[in-house]
Amino acid sequence: MAGKLYLVATPIGNMEDMTFRAVRILKEVDLIAAEDTRNSMKLLRHFDIHTPMTSYHEFNKIDKAYTLIEKLKQGADVALITDAGTPGISDPGEDLVRLASEAGIGITSLPGCCAAVTALTISSLPTRRFCFEAFLPADKKEKEQILEELKTETRTIIIYEAPHRLVRTLKELENALGDRRITLCRELTKKHEEAFCTTLSGALKRYETVEPKGECVIVMEGRSRRDIREEEQRSWENKSLGEHMDIYLKQGMSRKDAMKAVARDRGVSKSDIYRQLLGEQNREEPPSRA
Ligand code: SAM
């Protein structure tokens, strides 16, 4: 019978956050695949775990996945851990899960620490709807595209960042999205944990004099729907009725719904729009011959 793949979340800075189940599973499996075996050795020692370890990281994640899947097929139970937090979340794991799933291996995830969720919950920003952007990409074009998409994101946005890139990222966010409320969550679960509720400009001001230190999560407010609507409305002011209708028709709306939306934007009734459009159409038609 094939073995099982366990994704085991580990602490992000406080050993007391390890779960009983995580310790038991790490003791019971045949093999632990760890992002950095030297780093994970501290965790295993702390919890008196003596299971053999092998490395599974960014640079061997495909080849090693096949090796691990072979072992799983032969009946070995394997646990995947990373340096901190939940495997697969800005950490290796996604590819192994996909390939193991394709190979018909049973997979289970042991929930535990995740910096994104920990930061969101103490951010004082809306938690009902949120999106996780992980680290913004290093590639300039890709980053620009994501920043463009974030301009109209209405959910709370969570971004991971390393201390040495924090100021640059805050500047890029401010340039692309304008000033926004943010909460900078640093050193979560550690002695010097901090949730600094500020704005992008406020954070930049602070880091003019203080060097950013410690692992950090930026939690940023989404754009309000009202702001987006008002901005769209302003952009219609110089458009003809036909062009205004096209905006909605191109979004896939029916003619009737587009008329309703245009009427709402312009603060007039739908029948006014209908009449005006009819007028425009009649003016465009060539005069009929007698
Ligand atoms: N897999 C991890 C998780 O579940 O959160 C994330 C790993 S990712 C390589 C590392 C990033 O997570 C850091 O750069 C930082 O943005 C965030 N992070 C991890 N631990 C943190 C902590 N204790 N406090 C604040 N941010 C943390």
Side-chain angles (χ1 to χ4, degrees), residues 225-249 251 253 258 260-267:
R225 288 211 172 89
R226 202 169 129 203
D227 269 9
I228 296 174
R229 257 205 313 277
E230 281 174 7
E231 191 178 285
E232 278 173 356
Q233 198 151 10
R234 280 196 297 278
S235 79
W236 296 324
E237 277 165 10
N238 300 325
K239 285 190 167 60
S240 73
L241 200 53
E243 287 167 338
H244 194 166
M245 281 286 289
D246 278 346
I247 294 176
Y248 290 115
L249 293 173
Q251 285 172 17
M253 274 192 192
K260 230 193 254 176
V262 167
R264 187 199 57 217
D265 295 339
R266 297 191 171 221

Side-chain angles (χ1 to χ4, degrees), residues 153-182:
E153 177 56 69
T154 57
R155 295 170 294 181
T156 300
I157 301 158
I158 305 171
I159 297 170
Y160 280 170
E161 198 45 285
H164 64 282
R165 283 193 305 253
L166 182 62
V167 169
R168 195 181 68 191
T169 296
L170 291 171
K171 277 188 189 150
E172 285 168 347
L173 288 169
E174 194 191 27
N175 288 342
L177 313 178
D179 207 5
R180 294 270 183 106
R181 277 198 303 152
I182 61 165

Side-chain angles (χ1 to χ4, degrees), residues 136 143 147 159-186 196 198-208 210-212 216-220:
L136 290 180
K143 192 188 314 190
L147 290 171
I159 297 170
Y160 280 170
E161 198 45 285
H164 64 282
R165 283 193 305 253
L166 182 62
V167 169
R168 195 181 68 191
T169 296
L170 291 171
K171 277 188 189 150
E172 285 168 347
L173 288 169
E174 194 191 27
N175 288 342
L177 313 178
D179 207 5
R180 294 270 183 106
R181 277 198 303 152
I182 61 165
T183 301
L184 274 180
C185 298
R186 290 177 47 254
F196 175 38
T198 178
T199 54
L200 286 167
S201 61
L204 282 166
K205 199 161 176 51
R206 174 201 237 195
Y207 292 123
E208 278 171 11
V210 182
E211 192 196 339
C216 184
V217 182
I218 306 167
V219 187
M220 181 167 58

Side-chain angles (χ1 to χ4, degrees), residues 55-68:
S55 69
Y56 181 76
H57 49 68
E58 192 54 33
F59 306 103
N60 70 359
K61 63 184 184 186
I62 301 294
D63 287 351
K64 194 60 176 276
Y66 288 113
T67 312
L68 293 172

